[in-house]
Amino acid sequence: MQAEEAKLVALVRKGDQRAYTDLVVRHLPAIEVYAKRIVNDDTLAQDIAQDVMVVLWQRSGDFNPDKARLTTWLHRIAHNRCIDIMRKRQREVNCDASDSEYPVVESETATDLQPIDVALMRLPESQRTALVLTYYQNLSNRDVAEIMNSSVRAVESLLVRARGNLKKQLETQL
Amino acid sequence: MNPEEKTHNRALNVIAAYGAEQSAWPEEERGATLDALQSSDQLTEMLREAASLDRLLQRSARVATLDGAHLAQQIAHRVPQQLTLSQRLSRRLEVVAESLSSDAWKPALAASLTLSAGLAVGSTTYEPVEDWSQAEHYSFTVVGEEY
């Protein structure tokens, strides 16, 4: 799988559109869902996923198959985009909040969210990212540490806190 | 702390971090965690609690909706690739190598060889028939007539 994807990326580098389509079809759904769980905004998440696929097309030469799996590389780009967007949004929220006497309500574009999705959104960003990457994206603790630019031990600690927080929030349903 | 306590504590941590699914546990620690589970009621109870949280996590309603094939086509047609100088050079060299390995270069080579041979023969055998030795004198004559 890894070697095959490295070959496909090498073809993308040469401008092969078929290889590119193959990789996008494989990886886009996971990246889109990941971004949705992190930024909690479907339109923004789709923009992020598209951005990641543009990077795959434009800068496939930056991917080194000896250093990482393609999914890890793509998740890392998505993670950085999500962080940028959330920080930007946080700055805007802070600005708005300073002008208003009412607290700003967390934005949730999807109305049919499950209680678990709401609980996930209430987790601190780093805990949510660690949990989503490990549990939903099925990435190894080493991959998650690499994506989050952290250590395996720190990721584990985030996971323990994230699950503990979720347990508290969803106590009645457990 | 004796080795058994150490393994027990580590198993507690593994379940607390990764949940009840064995496939989610770090591969190198699965065996030891399973062994520890068999001899500890505390770990079994913890595993049960982790499994209920896992079930809740599975209820997440997020789904992907983008059409990958369509998006890929759009990007490939509209967005130019950004290549470094070395990548561009190696891509050019690959194109040259590919064209040399195919038969497409043969007619072009035949035409250029014919042209080169023609030029070489022409430049060595051609002798001008006009005598230009009197050209300077002739041009002064023409200019002198004007003034």
Side-chain angles (χ1 to χ4, degrees):
Chain A
M1 176 76 168
Q2 214 169 323
E4 189 219 350
E5 288 205 330
K7 276 182 196 165
L8 287 172
V9 175
L11 288 171
V12 171
R13 213 170 292 158
K14 291 177 187 171
D16 189 319
Q17 295 183 14
R18 195 176 290 179
Y20 176 63
T21 304
D22 193 348
L23 288 175
V24 171
V25 168
R26 280 185 205 189
H27 292 279
L28 180 68
I31 297 294
E32 185 189 343
V33 174
Y34 166 71
K36 281 181 177 174
R37 287 200 171 104
I38 300 298
V39 298
N40 192 37
D41 182 318
D42 286 3
T43 312
L44 263 181
Q46 288 180 341
D47 287 347
I48 290 168
Q50 287 182 33
D51 278 357
V52 174
M53 295 306 138
V54 168
V55 172
L56 174 61
W57 174 248
Q58 283 191 312
R59 303 208 321 257
S60 54
D62 294 353
F63 169 67
N64 183 350
D66 298 330
K67 282 190 180 170
R69 293 190 301 149
L70 182 63
T71 185
T72 312
W73 187 66
L74 295 173
H75 274 94
R76 187 174 180 132
I77 298 165
H79 168 69
N80 290 338
R81 289 276 195 282
C82 289
I83 297 252
D84 287 347
I85 281 176
M86 283 189 299
R87 286 188 185 151
K88 195 177 161 198
R89 203 160 57 179
Q90 192 58 48
R91 278 197 297 272
E92 287 166 2
V93 166
N94 289 343
C95 272
D96 292 347
S98 64
D99 295 339
S100 163
E101 58 186 280
Y102 299 107
V104 177
V105 180
E106 202 174 73
S107 74
E108 280 164 10
T109 51
T111 50
D112 53 351
L113 287 181
Q114 292 289 322
I116 184 65
D117 293 314
V118 178
L120 277 168
M121 282 318 300
R122 289 192 181 131
L123 290 178
E125 175 266 314
S126 56
Q127 289 180 25
R128 182 164 71 249
T129 301
L131 188 77
V132 169
L133 287 172
T134 310
Y135 189 82
Y136 292 109
Q137 308 302 112
N138 288 320
L139 292 165
S140 73
N141 51 10
R142 285 195 191 92
D143 285 339
V144 177
E146 198 190 314
I147 290 165
M148 296 183 74
N149 203 16
S150 183
S151 66
V152 169
R153 187 170 280 214
V155 168
E156 269 188 10
S157 161
L158 286 170
L159 288 171
V160 172
R161 280 186 276 154
R163 292 182 69 96
N165 268 334
L166 286 178
K167 243 158 83 179
K168 272 186 207 158
Q169 285 188 58
L170 302 164
E171 220 160 14
T172 53
Q173 297 178 54
L174 284 167
Chain B
M1 197 187 293
N2 66 39
E4 269 182 26
E5 283 174 339
K6 227 176 172 179
T7 311
H8 178 267
N9 285 347
R10 182 58 198 150
L12 274 173
N13 235 339
V14 167
I15 296 169
Y18 302 99
E21 270 296 315
Q22 287 175 35
S23 58
W25 299 345
E27 214 175 323
E28 63 277 11
E29 295 184 284
R30 274 179 213 161
T33 307
L34 280 172
D35 287 346
L37 260 167
Q38 285 180 340
S39 55
S40 165
D41 291 341
Q42 187 195 3
L43 283 175
T44 312
E45 175 57 18
M46 199 178 168
L47 193 77
R48 197 191 55 75
E49 282 177 17
S52 13
L53 184 59
D54 285 349
R55 277 194 292 277
L56 281 182
L57 282 165
Q58 282 161 21
R59 288 192 201 157
S60 172
R62 309 281 190 181
V63 286
T65 49
L66 287 172
D67 179 348
H70 180 66
L71 180 70
Q73 272 182 348
Q74 280 189 321
I75 293 172
H77 282 114
R78 291 181 190 171
V79 182
Q81 287 186 300
Q82 291 175 355
L83 301 172
T84 62
L85 185 63
S86 64
Q87 284 165 355
R88 264 181 282 165
L89 277 174
S90 70
R91 199 152 144 179
R92 290 270 161 83
L93 286 172
E94 279 170 19
V95 171
V96 171
E98 272 171 27
S99 63
L100 285 176
S101 66
S102 71
D103 286 343
W105 59 276
K106 285 179 182 170
L109 181 67
S112 63
L113 281 177
T114 313
L115 183 65
S116 308
L119 286 171
V121 170
S123 62
T124 51
T125 57
Y126 176 72
E127 284 179 16
V129 287
E130 293 96 340
D131 179 13
W132 289 91
S133 58
Q134 299 299 311
E136 193 176 341
H137 171 74
Y138 179 73
S139 64
F140 280 122
T141 310
V142 172
V143 171
E145 276 175 4
E146 280 185 12
Y147 296 95

